[in-house]
Amino acid sequence: MDLPLAPATYALIIANLIASLYGLLVDPHFVQRFLFNVGALKRDKQHYRVFTSSFLHGNLLHLIFNMMTLFFFGPVVEKTLGTDGFLVVYFGAVLTSGIVSFYVNRNRPDYSSLGASDGVSGVLLSFCMFYPLSPIYIMFLPIGIPAILFAVLFVAISAGMMGREGNRIAHEGHLGGALAGVVLTILMRPDVLTGLFR
């Protein structure tokens, strides 16, 4: 995919790489200052953490996995929705994820999370709406599964796992981002439902 066709996707990847690598390799305190934390939002009103946390990652594997997913699906969604529409989906998913995560964990002031999974989940589910029969490959599975089936499983698993203490994965954030991706895609392109059912 040529860079001019997906400028926002590649800009987000670069921003994630810069911020995450700086936090991981140069200044760990940078991560603590900008990750999502319920106490910081509730007590200190640091609402910017909803967005800044999505540019930070806990380790290199976390960063690579999210950026690979964005690299493969972002350009397609950006080309389909246009750059403005893509950004609405991405940051709408980040915001919704933050709201859902805060609500689910509102009584856990020490709860923290980080990663681009929220925005990436929204983009991935948007892709599934437009291309429901495209195969999506999951690690350790030799064949791809239809995108629409992946979307249903993704939402169901995230909903079933969210809010459980001890989780190292922010399933509620994934769910919020994914549902935002679906809803925003439909609002901007209602015709996607016609194609989906057809």
Side-chain angles (χ1 to χ4, degrees):
M1 182 80 58
D2 291 334
L3 179 61
L5 296 179
T9 297
Y10 296 113
L12 285 169
I13 291 173
I14 292 169
N16 270 275
L17 290 172
I18 292 172
S20 294
L21 291 175
Y22 179 78
L24 288 170
L25 304 177
V26 179
D27 182 9
H29 296 293
F30 177 77
V31 175
Q32 294 302 317
R33 289 198 301 271
F34 293 103
L35 55 65
F36 179 94
N37 176 264
V38 170
L41 268 73
K42 201 171 186 178
R43 180 186 60 250
D44 303 322
K45 310 301 181 186
Q46 295 177 352
H47 301 122
Y48 59 84
R49 288 176 179 256
V50 170
F51 293 98
T52 56
S53 62
S54 70
F55 290 92
L56 303 170
H57 291 80
N59 54 57
L60 288 175
L61 184 62
H62 187 202
L63 172 63
I64 291 168
F65 182 80
N66 274 336
M67 293 306 99
M68 283 183 62
T69 305
L70 186 57
F71 178 81
F72 285 116
F73 295 97
V76 180
V77 174
E78 186 170 354
K79 182 179 179 182
T80 305
L81 282 176
T83 296
D84 289 345
F86 169 82
L87 289 172
V88 167
V89 166
Y90 190 91
F91 286 108
V94 172
L95 176 60
T96 304
S97 170
I99 292 170
V100 172
S101 294
F102 181 83
Y103 178 78
V104 171
N105 299 288
R106 62 192 181 280
N107 296 320
R108 300 169 60 192
D110 294 332
Y111 176 85
S112 297
S113 66
L114 73 175
S117 302
D118 42 16
V120 172
S121 295
V123 171
L124 184 53
L125 269 287
S126 180
F127 173 90
C128 293
M129 296 291 289
F130 284 112
Y131 307 100
L133 299 181
S134 293
I136 291 184
Y137 294 88
I138 303 174
M139 288 185 297
F140 310 120
L141 288 181
I143 59 173
I145 63 173
I148 193 64
L149 176 59
F150 173 88
V152 171
L153 291 174
F154 186 91
V155 169
I157 292 171
S158 297
M161 295 293 291
M162 74 176 187
R164 297 187 184 184
E165 291 198 31
N167 272 344
R168 292 183 60 83
I169 300 175
H171 292 286
E172 58 273 16
H174 292 175
L175 178 64
L179 293 179
V182 171
V183 171
L184 291 169
T185 296
I186 293 173
L187 288 175
M188 289 187 289
R189 287 282 301 275
D191 59 297
V192 74
L193 291 175
T194 304
L196 188 63
F197 290 115
R198 185 172 64 240

